[in-house]
Amino acid sequence: MSHTSSYLYQKNPATRDKPWVRWSLIGIAVVFMGVMLVVPLVSVFYEALKEGWQAYQAALLEPDALASIKLTLITAAIILPINTIIGVALAYLITRHQFRGKFVITTLLDLPFAVSPVVAGLMFVLVFGANTRLGGYLESMGIQVIFATTGIVLATLFVTFAFIARELIPLMQAQGDSEEQAALTLGANGWQMFWKVTLPNIKWALLYGIILTNARAMGEFGAVSVVSGHIRGETNTVPLMIEIAYNEYAFTLAFALSSLLALLALITLVAQGLMSHKK
């Protein structure tokens, strides 16, 4: 439909753009994207590899760099299954059930997008800090939240938990529940309906949401910075380690780690494009 509309728009003499207008807009878009997107991205990889491949590898194999990569991967590995389960459950609840307070839950899904990540991290400090009642109690039980991996996981979970639900809700609303009702009529139980009908219908949107969640989790800086404590080799994720390395003029390390996140962004963009065609 969009291709047809664009074609008719250009065929209509009243709305047809002149060639110089069209090429000017194309030129402006290309220049802007080149200056703001392509050049900085290429610069990151150039700076990372400027000293050679061996220096690049050596930077990534430094103990602090490996520890930050490991912590980032662990954090993503923990939050992805949690976010997937919660996201699917929330999407199913909101699109398939009517209940009092539904508007409140739908509104709260936008909270991670509305609240600054730094503020989100501060909220966890105020709740789980050592000087708070809950934080003090947990520490007395041997559970440290702030300045530990637990706090990083919680902060990352907060800023990412809505991505999957927000991807699934519009799709499930558009699809309706006619196929699910038909499956129930034919004798399927609730779990059979979910695995055989619901999940296949949302699988591409679900995968799309998981990819976005993973990218945001690995690249999160603000919330994690507040709760991590910046303890070398323990609570520095890749984005935090990039800041530390850059501030200490360890540019090869900073850009090498940056190239990993940039590569993740490129993979995410490619996956987004593929998922958009599948959804």
Side-chain angles (χ1 to χ4, degrees):
M1 292 297 293
S2 60
H3 290 254
T4 304
S5 299
S6 177
Y7 177 77
L8 294 177
Y9 179 87
Q10 294 300 328
K11 281 292 185 179
N12 190 330
T15 57
R16 183 169 57 235
D17 295 325
K18 294 181 179 180
W20 70 269
V21 174
R22 183 167 63 253
W23 286 109
S24 296
L25 292 174
I26 293 173
I28 292 172
V30 170
V31 170
F32 180 82
M33 293 179 66
V35 172
M36 298 300 296
L37 300 177
V38 178
V39 173
L41 188 62
V42 172
S43 298
V44 168
F45 286 99
Y46 171 77
E47 291 293 336
L49 296 169
K50 184 171 63 175
E51 301 297 330
W53 179 252
Q54 289 184 340
Y56 178 84
Q57 285 183 311
L60 293 180
L61 292 176
E62 288 188 12
D64 288 344
L66 289 175
S68 68
I69 295 171
K70 179 181 178 181
L71 179 58
T72 302
L73 293 175
I74 289 174
T75 302
I78 292 173
I79 71 161
L80 280 178
I82 296 175
N83 272 331
T84 300
I85 295 172
I86 293 177
V88 173
L90 283 173
Y92 190 85
L93 175 68
I94 291 171
T95 59
R96 298 296 184 261
H97 296 277
Q98 296 296 329
F99 55 93
R100 186 174 299 177
K102 180 178 178 179
F103 173 76
V104 175
I105 294 179
T106 305
T107 303
L108 287 176
L109 278 176
D110 292 326
L111 188 62
F113 302 116
V115 175
S116 167
V118 175
V119 176
L122 183 60
M123 290 190 301
F124 282 101
V125 172
L126 294 175
V127 174
F128 296 104
N131 295 325
T132 64
R133 181 174 299 179
L134 179 58
Y137 173 75
L138 290 175
E139 288 206 9
S140 68
M141 300 291 292
I143 303 173
Q144 184 176 354
V145 177
I146 304 303
F147 306 152
T149 302
T150 306
I152 294 173
V153 171
L154 289 176
T156 307
L157 188 64
F158 176 86
V159 299
T160 60
F161 87 93
F163 279 95
I164 292 177
R166 277 302 177 196
E167 285 297 320
L168 295 179
I169 289 172
L171 176 65
M172 294 178 70
Q173 287 175 333
Q175 288 178 342
D177 62 352
S178 58
E179 293 186 22
E180 295 167 349
Q181 293 294 339
L184 294 174
T185 302
L186 293 173
N189 59 39
W191 282 111
Q192 288 174 329
M193 177 201 70
F194 175 79
W195 290 108
K196 300 293 185 180
V197 179
T198 305
L199 190 58
N201 285 340
I202 64 172
K203 62 181 180 181
W204 294 116
L206 177 59
L207 184 57
Y208 183 79
I210 291 174
I211 291 171
L212 290 180
T213 301
N214 182 65
R216 177 63 187 275
M218 290 191 174
E220 177 55 34
F221 179 86
V224 170
S225 178
V226 176
V227 302
S228 72
H230 296 273
I231 303 173
R232 283 181 177 272
E234 294 185 25
T235 63
N236 280 329
T237 59
V238 170
L240 301 185
M241 195 61 216
I242 291 172
E243 182 195 32
I244 292 173
Y246 188 83
N247 289 337
E248 295 180 352
Y249 304 102
F251 296 126
T252 301
L253 174 58
F255 286 110
L257 290 173
S258 297
S259 69
L260 294 182
L261 292 183
L263 183 61
L264 173 65
L266 291 175
I267 294 174
T268 301
L269 288 175
V270 173
Q272 282 180 327
L274 295 175
M275 296 304 103
S276 296
H277 290 293
K278 295 291 185 178
K279 286 198 296 181

